[in-house]
């Protein structure tokens, strides 16, 4: 049965934690996952000797549920999050939570907290945070004896303050978020721990966040804080960096497809050199939390490089935004299988 949406200031929601009633939890022990259950307890009860706490043996995902005009609730490409979590698990020698169970757990959490899915038209959505952590009693540096897979959700608005208004970024030259053969392509907490200080320094200097360069040569753009980078060249080509140490963003792969198939642009993954910003007429950050945020300017070695404008979104970035959000909120037909409805029983 459909429930009435709770009364929150949806239009002014930031990216914060609001406790919702229900979360899903499954426990792995002796070689298998238990059947899992929903719980109202938002505290985890784990051993003080958990590998997740000491050695960062944990990974997570970020995805969103959207309310459509007709009142349906849908997820965007949850199978891709399930696959990426499986890859993160393999990188840290953790047991994979089966992909079909991952999607069902997300659907259950959304359905159980459906009154927290923001209303259509508010611009907000319900953010889901699946995570998988090493737990159990063990102090040696080796994979944990037990694991928890859990999914909680919280309603969110814009991650970058501007929304569709451009925001500016600095370039982190003294710090990397990941090493050349490290865990940059896995969604693991260590990458984010490494980003906290450069992020803080960028914020203190007045930027939305900082851009990370490739850790081996510091010449190519890798990430825009906790989002991927894209640029639109002066020849209208959609370009996004290729590197083994960036997170394979589901938003970025979706935009590559939409740029080609819906907007008729040439679209490619290739190197984006930090000293060749003038090849781009527009630039943006993309990700589940970041959505599509236009980049107004990048400051690099004394150069204040403005793309389309520091106050207006460029025309192609806007088209990509409208198409992407149109699909996510159910106004535009997406490619087969991209949108998965949440059964509300
Ligand atoms: N890059 C980083 C470092 C991220 O944390 C995220 C967020 O998930 C992304 C890129 C964007 O990935 P996605 O589009 O799958 O959310
Ligand atoms: C996401 O976009 O889902 C992220 O994980 C980014 C950040 C909030 C950690």
């Amino acid at each position: 049965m459909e429930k009435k949406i709770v009364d929150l200031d949806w239009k002014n929601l930031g990216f914060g934690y609001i406790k919702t009633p229900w979360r899903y939890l499954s426990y792995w022990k002796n070689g298998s996952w238990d059947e899992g259950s929903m719980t109202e307890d938002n505290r985890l009860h784990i051993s003080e000797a958990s590998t997740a706490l000491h050695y960062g043996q944990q990974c997570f995902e970020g995805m969103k549920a959207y309310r459509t005009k007709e009142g349906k609730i849908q997820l965007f490409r949850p199978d891709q999050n399930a696959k990426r979590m499986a890859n993160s698990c393999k990188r840290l020698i953790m047991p994979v939570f089966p992909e079909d169970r991952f999607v069902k757990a997300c659907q259950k959490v959304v359905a159980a907290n459906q009154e927290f899915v923001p209303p259509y038209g508010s611009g907000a959505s319900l953010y889901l945070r699946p995570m998988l952590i090493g737990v159990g009693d063990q102090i040696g540096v080796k994979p944990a004896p037990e694991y928890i897979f859990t999914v909680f959700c919280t309603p969110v608005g814009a991650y970058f303050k501007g929304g569709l208004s451009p925001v500016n970024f600095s370039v982190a030259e003294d710090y990397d978020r990941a090493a050349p053969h490290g865990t940059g392509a896995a969604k693991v907490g260590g990458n984010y721990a490494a980003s906290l200080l450069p992020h803080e320094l960028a914020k203190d200097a007045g930027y939305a966040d900082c851009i990370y360069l490739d850790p081996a040569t510091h010449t190519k753009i890798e990430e825009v804080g906790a989002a991927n980078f894209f640029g639109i060249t002066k020849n209208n080509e959609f370009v996004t960096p290729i590197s083994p140490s960036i997170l394979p963003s589901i938003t970025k792969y979706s935009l590559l497809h939409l740029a080609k198939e819906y907007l008729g642009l040439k679209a490619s993954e290739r190197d984006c050199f930090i000293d060749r910003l003038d090849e781009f007429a527009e630039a943006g950050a993309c990700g589940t939390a970041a959505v599509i945020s236009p980049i107004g300017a990048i400051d690099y070695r004394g150069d204040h490089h403005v793309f389309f404008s520091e106050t207006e979104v460029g025309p192609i970035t806007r088209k990509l935004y409208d198409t992407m959000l149109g699909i996510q909120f159910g106004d535009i037909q997406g490619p087969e299988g991209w949108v998965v409805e949440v059964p509300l029983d």
Side-chain angles (χ1 to χ4, degrees):
M1 198 184 53
E2 281 184 36
K3 292 194 192 143
K4 195 167 172 292
I5 302 173
V6 295
D7 194 17
L8 283 177
D9 185 7
W10 298 112
K11 285 206 157 55
N12 294 310
L13 214 55
F15 194 84
Y17 176 78
I18 294 171
K19 186 184 168 199
T20 53
W22 293 99
R23 66 257 327 96
Y24 175 88
L25 195 140
S26 177
Y27 208 94
W28 187 96
K29 204 174 172 177
N30 300 326
S32 63
W33 291 103
D34 70 12
E35 64 183 17
S37 59
M38 299 294 285
T39 168
E40 287 182 280
D41 187 0
N42 76 332
R43 306 278 149 184
L44 289 171
H45 302 276
I46 60 173
S47 167
E48 62 191 1
S50 295
T51 58
L53 300 178
H54 299 266
Y55 309 127
Q57 198 194 19
Q58 63 82 249
C59 65
F60 66 97
E61 276 302 322
M63 54 204 287
K64 282 176 173 171
Y66 306 85
R67 196 182 290 275
T68 70
K69 205 184 281 173
E70 297 78 33
K72 283 197 278 192
I73 299 175
Q74 53 191 35
L75 297 170
F76 182 71
R77 308 191 75 182
D79 56 320
Q80 299 300 307
N81 293 91
K83 282 200 175 70
R84 188 169 64 190
M85 178 170 263
N87 289 336
S88 299
C89 286
K90 286 173 196 155
R91 180 64 180 81
L92 297 196
I93 323 187
M94 301 196 284
V96 167
F97 193 72
E99 292 175 23
D100 57 331
R101 288 191 64 190
F102 175 105
V103 174
K104 282 197 185 112
C106 291
Q107 287 175 312
K108 261 191 178 174
V109 170
V110 175
N113 297 293
Q114 61 177 273
E115 66 273 31
F116 283 88
V117 181
Y120 172 85
S122 65
S125 50
L126 186 74
Y127 185 73
L128 277 87
R129 178 50 67 83
M131 62 176 164
L132 202 151
I133 64 174
V135 296
D137 299 330
Q138 179 186 283
I139 199 68
V141 184
K142 58 183 180 179
E146 296 167 20
Y147 294 87
I148 288 174
F149 169 77
T150 176
V151 185
F152 70 85
C153 65
T154 185
V156 296
Y159 181 71
F160 289 123
K161 269 216 183 79
L164 246 195
S165 305
V167 282
N168 292 354
F169 293 86
S170 58
V171 176
E173 286 213 78
D174 298 332
Y175 300 96
D176 295 316
R177 63 176 277 282
H181 300 280
T183 53
K187 201 161 171 63
V188 301
N191 300 337
Y192 297 84
S195 76
L196 293 176
L197 178 58
H199 171 80
E200 192 87 343
L201 294 173
K203 293 285 276 189
D204 287 350
Y207 298 99
D209 208 331
C210 57
I211 293 200
Y212 295 96
L213 301 177
D214 71 289
T217 70
H218 276 199
T219 58
K220 296 173 262 183
I221 295 178
E222 293 241 308
E223 299 272 20
V224 189
N228 272 182
F229 174 85
F230 70 87
I232 311 294
T233 68
K234 290 177 176 162
N235 305 326
N236 284 351
E237 180 183 355
F238 177 93
V239 178
T240 178
I242 186 158
S243 157
S245 50
I246 65 179
L247 191 76
S249 152
I250 294 156
T251 315
K252 157 233 180 100
Y253 284 115
S254 304
L255 288 177
L256 273 163
H257 182 87
L258 296 177
K260 238 190 260 175
E261 305 300 330
Y262 282 56
L263 272 65
L265 306 178
K266 205 170 156 219
S268 57
E269 284 179 281
R270 64 162 166 82
D271 289 338
C272 298
F273 290 94
I274 189 67
D275 62 359
R276 289 287 331 276
L277 295 178
D278 56 353
E279 70 169 316
F280 299 117
E282 299 177 35
C286 66
T288 300
V291 191
I292 296 176
S293 292
I295 300 179
I298 294 176
D299 278 334
Y300 176 62
R301 296 192 175 170
D303 177 36
H304 181 70
H305 184 91
V306 178
F307 294 94
F308 182 75
S309 150
E310 283 184 85
T311 51
E312 302 286 322
V313 55
I316 295 187
T317 305
R318 179 179 281 283
K319 262 192 209 160
L320 286 168
Y321 180 93
D322 289 344
T323 310
M324 184 77 166
L325 272 79
I327 293 170
Q328 291 171 332
F329 282 102
D331 296 325
I332 297 176
Q333 177 76 42
E336 170 99 37
W338 277 24
V339 153
V340 174
E341 196 176 332
V342 173
L344 303 175
D345 46 23

